[in-house]
Amino acid sequence: MAARVLRPLPRPKPYNRLQIILQHLKISKQTDSTAEVLLEKKGGAGIITLNRPKALNAVNLSMIRQIYPQIKTWEKDPETFLIIIKGTGGKAFCAGGDIRAITDAGKVGNKLAQDFFKEEYTLNNAIGTCKKPYVALIDGITMGGGVGLSVHGHFRVATEKTVFAMPETAIGLFPDVGGGYFLPRLSGKIGYYLALTGFRLKGRDVLKAGIATHFVDSEKLPALEKDLIALKSSSKENIADLLNSYHMKSQADQEKDFVLDEHMDKINSLFSGDSMEEIVKNLKQDGSPFAIKQLETINKMSPTSLKLTLRQLREGASMSLQDVLMMEYRLSQACMRGPDFYEGVRAVLIDRDQSPRWKPAALEEVSDEFVDDCFKPLGSNDLKL
């Protein structure tokens, strides 16, 4: 075997355009169709594409571990002016987190049940504090973890295919990914209503509720993306102007009233109770068809989840996003310890019998002491942002 000739190492060159180009080429390699997330640079735009269409683009830990450092890199890159996130497959932007994997891990005390929430919430915070304009194209199903990947960014573009929900109380969880921050900040008590009942908003109603910032016809998204990539100066104002121009051209469902309009007075009064017991009492006393329907829905939810969620939103209303995510991490670990999360996932996602057996089974059996305990700091295990 021939001896290797040792050559002196070349002197490191200052950060230059060539290194930026090489970095972009490296990113482009990750665009094979089998990857769970595609990370590309086109023009001045960094583009994140969630690519698990068969799983409705549900986000898992390996995707989070690719997206987070890429956002941080693009944030520092002077040649990246904006970040776009979208989903493939035509059905969903992102239907949530990879709940099955978390359930399996939590049951056996696997560290994934800690790591997933820690790293997902850290990514939610990175989106909420991103220095570059962040545009989420929320075309199709956008629930749970998918809301966390979009709602904290500067721009959220809904279409006629958007279906928004935070359905966690039905699986023994709570509306996390910063739900404690954005939900109580929606108009009136809409956020409390959405959080406790898991009600689904569709199409233009996602805009009218204040969750989306713009509404564009689904078929126009490729053209919008092309125009965003072509922007020569991507200030927030320029991006807003472009999104507004598309928004103004969309006629779909323009004349329709907001789906909750006729119920807003009731939502604002009935869901303003200080406790879940008070909200239930309000609904029973009201007795209208709307109130009875909400009562039926709430009765199917985990009593523990309902109590955690109400307090999460009441406290989150006056907290920073960072403090909310730290609080939610504590709640996530409390849910991993209790039985309802596993029972909810079994009933809704695995056996699909839709008949969860909650423990405790009634709101009055969930003590204030137990709820207090779920909010307690975790010491060195707390989420640090």
Side-chain angles (χ1 to χ4, degrees):
M1 194 172 139
R4 285 184 182 174
V5 179
L6 293 176
R7 294 188 180 91
L9 289 168
R11 284 170 62 188
K13 290 177 182 166
Y15 192 76
N16 59 23
R17 286 185 71 84
L18 178 63
Q19 280 172 297
I20 293 169
I21 292 161
L22 288 172
Q23 181 203 331
H24 295 169
L25 288 173
K26 194 175 105 188
I27 290 166
S28 300
K29 281 182 192 165
Q30 295 176 32
T31 57
D32 64 294
S33 61
T34 55
E36 293 179 321
V37 60
L38 310 176
L39 304 163
E40 303 170 83
K41 187 75 197 304
K42 286 186 185 174
I47 302 170
I48 302 161
T49 307
L50 308 174
N51 191 37
R52 295 181 72 205
K54 285 181 182 161
L56 298 176
N57 298 324
V59 64
N60 60 29
L61 189 54
S62 87
M63 292 162 77
I64 290 165
R65 286 178 172 171
Q66 292 172 72
I67 296 168
Y68 175 78
Q70 190 60 73
I71 287 177
K72 288 296 179 189
T73 302
W74 280 333
E75 220 176 0
K76 293 191 189 91
D77 175 15
E79 303 288 313
T80 303
F81 306 121
L82 79 154
I83 296 168
I84 298 168
I85 186 165
K86 60 181 183 171
T88 53
K91 283 186 182 172
F93 165 67
C94 171
D98 193 354
I99 293 291
R100 292 285 286 267
I102 303 160
T103 310
D104 295 343
K107 277 180 184 168
V108 294
N110 185 310
K111 201 167 164 288
L112 174 76
Q114 295 169 26
D115 293 346
F116 179 86
F117 291 105
K118 250 183 189 164
E119 296 182 42
E120 182 183 31
Y121 297 175
T122 302
L123 173 56
N124 300 150
N125 183 56
I127 293 165
T129 57
C130 189
K131 293 181 182 71
K132 299 283 168 81
Y134 184 96
V135 182
L137 306 177
I138 53 172
D139 187 32
I141 298 165
T142 304
M143 297 184 185
V147 176
L149 293 176
S150 54
V151 77
H152 304 297
H154 304 105
F155 303 106
R156 289 89 62 191
V157 182
T159 75
E160 73 282 3
K161 296 194 322 198
T162 305
V163 182
F164 165 95
M166 295 298 279
E168 290 83 359
T169 54
I171 56 163
L173 208 54
F174 59 96
D176 63 337
V177 297
Y181 182 79
F182 82 87
L183 288 164
R185 285 166 172 78
L186 297 177
S187 170
K189 293 290 176 181
I190 289 181
Y192 291 79
Y193 171 70
L194 296 173
L196 297 169
T197 67
F199 183 81
R200 294 180 173 197
L201 291 169
K202 294 172 184 173
R204 205 176 273 273
D205 287 334
V206 180
L207 172 80
K208 289 176 178 170
I211 291 149
T213 57
H214 296 82
F215 183 91
V216 173
D217 297 340
S218 182
E219 62 180 35
K220 297 285 196 310
L221 287 183
L224 171 61
E225 191 182 322
K226 212 172 159 188
D227 285 348
L228 284 167
I229 290 164
L231 279 176
K232 290 286 170 273
S233 159
S234 301
S235 66
K236 275 192 203 146
E237 291 70 30
N238 284 2
I239 293 165
D241 288 345
L242 178 59
L243 293 174
N244 288 339
S245 73
Y246 272 82
H247 175 83
M248 298 307 283
K249 285 178 205 150
S250 172
Q251 303 299 316
D253 298 333
Q254 213 171 25
E255 304 308 313
K256 268 193 187 171
D257 286 338
F258 178 41
V259 68
L260 296 175
D261 253 358
E262 60 179 311
H263 304 301
M264 274 321 300
D265 288 345
K266 283 199 186 299
I267 287 171
N268 290 340
S269 62
L270 302 175
F271 284 83
S272 64
D274 293 341
S275 68
M276 270 317 300
E277 287 89 345
E278 196 180 323
I279 290 171
V280 167
K281 193 176 126 203
N282 290 345
L283 291 167
K284 280 180 180 167
Q285 282 178 347
D286 183 88
S288 64
F290 174 77
I292 290 162
K293 198 176 170 192
Q294 305 324 308
L295 206 50
E296 284 169 6
T297 301
I298 281 171
N299 282 336
K300 291 176 188 161
M301 305 306 188
S302 155
T304 300
S305 290
L306 290 168
K307 286 208 167 178
L308 294 182
T309 298
L310 182 59
R311 177 157 161 194
Q312 169 207 1
L313 266 61
R314 286 171 63 85
E315 296 204 0
S318 58
M319 290 167 112
S320 67
L321 175 60
Q322 291 71 34
D323 286 343
V324 165
L325 290 166
M326 285 156 71
M327 166 180 74
E328 290 180 356
Y329 180 70
R330 292 166 186 170
L331 293 179
S332 78
Q333 297 311 292
C335 290
M336 293 304 103
R337 295 192 298 268
D340 276 7
F341 173 61
Y342 306 104
E343 174 58 12
V345 170
R346 180 206 64 73
V348 176
L349 299 176
I350 298 171
D351 298 342
R352 301 189 177 204
D353 58 26
Q354 310 300 327
S355 301
R357 292 178 289 278
W358 305 123
K359 287 181 192 167
L363 283 168
E364 47 277 13
E365 291 169 35
V366 183
S367 70
D368 291 346
E369 292 74 34
F370 173 80
V371 173
D372 288 345
D373 211 42
C374 296
F375 283 81
K376 277 186 183 154
L378 300 170
S380 61
N381 289 324
D382 259 334
L383 173 65
K384 291 158 193 76
L385 294 171

